[in-house]
Amino acid sequence: MKILYVTSEAVPFCKTGGLADVAGSLPPALAEQGAEVAVVLPLYQRVRDRFGSQLKFECYDYVDLAWRHNYCGLFSMEKDGVTWYFLDNEQYFNRGTLYGQSDDGERFAFFSRAVVRMLDHFKFWPEVVHCNDWQSALVPIYLKDDGVREERYRSIKTVVTIHNIEYQGRYNPYVLGELFGLDAGWAKDGTILLDGDANLLKGAILCADAVNAVSPTYANELKMPYFAHRMEGVMRQCSNKLYGVLNGIDMKLYDPRTDGRILTSFSAEDLSGKDACKAELQRMVGLREEPHTPIVAMVSRLVSHKGLDLICEVLHDMMELPMQLVVLGTGDQRYEDFFRWAAQQYPGRVSVRLDYNEDLSMAIYAGADLFLMPSKSEPCGLSQMIAMRYGTVPIVRETGGLKDTVQPCESWRDAGNGFSFANYSSGDMLHVIREAVYLYKDYPDVFSRLRQRAMSCDFSWARSAREYLRIYATITGQAWPLHSSTCRAAETSAEDAAPVEETAPVVDAAPAEEAAPAEETAAPVVEAAPAKETAPAVEAAPAKETAPAVEAAPAEEATPAVEAAPAVETAPAVEAAPAEETAPVVEAAPADEKPAKKTRKTASKSTSKAAKAEKKSEKKTSAKKGTAGKKKSAE
Ligand code: GLC
């Protein structure tokens, strides 16, 4: 199988986001499974600066696009069993940043056109071209365009992966010919047109042989207006070729046993090094050196869809818990102001670093106890998987890949690998943070088993690579890989790679109840929570607030968050369906796992046994309150 992977960024060459991590890891994983793989990227200034001396000049050619006739150089590098190609045009790519420039449309149209033009110069003629996001969305369109005249272009099958549907590449349709060299027919027949704009991603989705979203839940969510940024109709239309292959992480790069970036190595079997990492983190970021206080961490871009409004609403309530908070990231001014203010309010308990720093992020993954991702939407999310690998237990909202990678803790039967909440509500988030903090404080053994289960999850790329190969086999009509040992593994994951089931619009989504078991089974943990269930967070937060910065943030944001709620509430119904099938394995199934049928009452009993006698009755009352509150909000 010959695969050409087209991407606008890839680790270690150039990175602005998660796409780069995927593009850096998936192609080598495909090669490891026996595929022939080449990746093609623009030759940005930063690639030239850092890797220039390792690149081999292959050849050059000219690329015709509309009236432009531009030079294109081809450089290459062999690495990890993959050929990495770089397309050179200094006018377009010899710049300080990757994106965000006024001529991005022209730059990536050149890139896409050049990929097709340079096919003759690559080491093989691909059977599959796999594109990513809007920057390479024109490739399947150009292949169709050229395929009308030349059969050899028609022989290539195409896959497009959507990493975040928010970014679609929208342009005025009048520039279709001028900028993209496409006939007006592409807009007239609607292929590339959405809401009056030329929409490159839409065109790619319709033209590609397979469309992939980066998690099964995201693939389903994309059929709903709340998540789809106007593309829900297109996504529903293509559901027969829509897949949701979950991303992986580089398990070698992120390995607490060998990672030189962290202070002391550790493993699921021996966690003593993690204590040292925690003490080091507390020193580094100016948190009180308290070994028994759980550190809740966030490493995130500080933007709205990461769910930061929820934190703005209940920060004070969170800080009433015996916990510390560390935040690393940059982003919107209003969130930066808010977190700066929060750190001033809680010196020694809240620490905030408004930048992006790889070393500090690793210190956080290694040293923190809990990792918070309350995202409004999250196509896949990689940080929660990295955090788990380092024994930092995730607390997530059940959306996209977060839902597919985190199974809520059921302490009574030692199951689950994190904590989660369904509705986009600060009260619900607070509730699970409280569960997590008190599980850590009051039941250290249970928490440490939970930590070990999180660390044992298999997020390796090999699994995802097999699913991709299955898709490539499906669209090319090949039986891949039928005659090797890996083929059996691929066969077993065949169902994972099957198109996500056509999910009817939200209304049909029966499993509203399905979400319930997760909440119900979480009950024992709830019992460990303290008596006081705080009133709805929205009210709670502003009461104490004096700083203008904070007022500004929740005031603007609270309303949309509340308004958004109904849409989110309906979402989990559909989300619920694929999660079980595709969720990555929590390897460490406890030996004495009890049947799942065990009732909540029995469960409570077993937890209560573990609890200290004097706490028992008080906590039971609180749990009842908590669970009731939770159910109410779920309704
Ligand atoms: C985007 C998404 C993120 C995903 C990544 C890689 O950055 O926002 O959720 O993990 O792409 O697919």
Side-chain angles (χ1 to χ4, degrees), residues 1 3 30 128 130 159 468-477:
M1 177 82 69
I3 298 146
L30 291 168
V128 175
H130 188 153
V159 179
Y468 276 110
L469 285 168
R470 184 76 197 181
I471 297 174
Y472 303 151
T474 305
I475 58 177
T476 54

Side-chain angles (χ1 to χ4, degrees), residues 17-19 22 163-164 214 247 301 305-306 378-382:
L19 165 61
V22 174
H163 295 264
N164 191 341
V214 285
N247 290 332
R301 276 184 302 124
H305 82 93
K306 295 292 179 186
E378 192 64 71
C380 178
L382 303 172

Side-chain angles (χ1 to χ4, degrees), residues 278-290:
K278 177 170 180 174
E280 163 78 357
L281 173 64
Q282 286 171 323
R283 272 193 296 278
M284 270 171 91
V285 299
L287 292 171
R288 282 186 218 146
E289 290 182 40
E290 296 171 346

Side-chain angles (χ1 to χ4, degrees), residues 305-307 373-378 396-397 399 402 421 424:
H305 82 93
K306 295 292 179 186
M373 289 181 79
S375 304
K376 223 183 255 177
S377 74
E378 192 64 71
V396 302
R397 189 174 96 77
T399 182
L402 297 178
F421 58 102
Y424 189 70

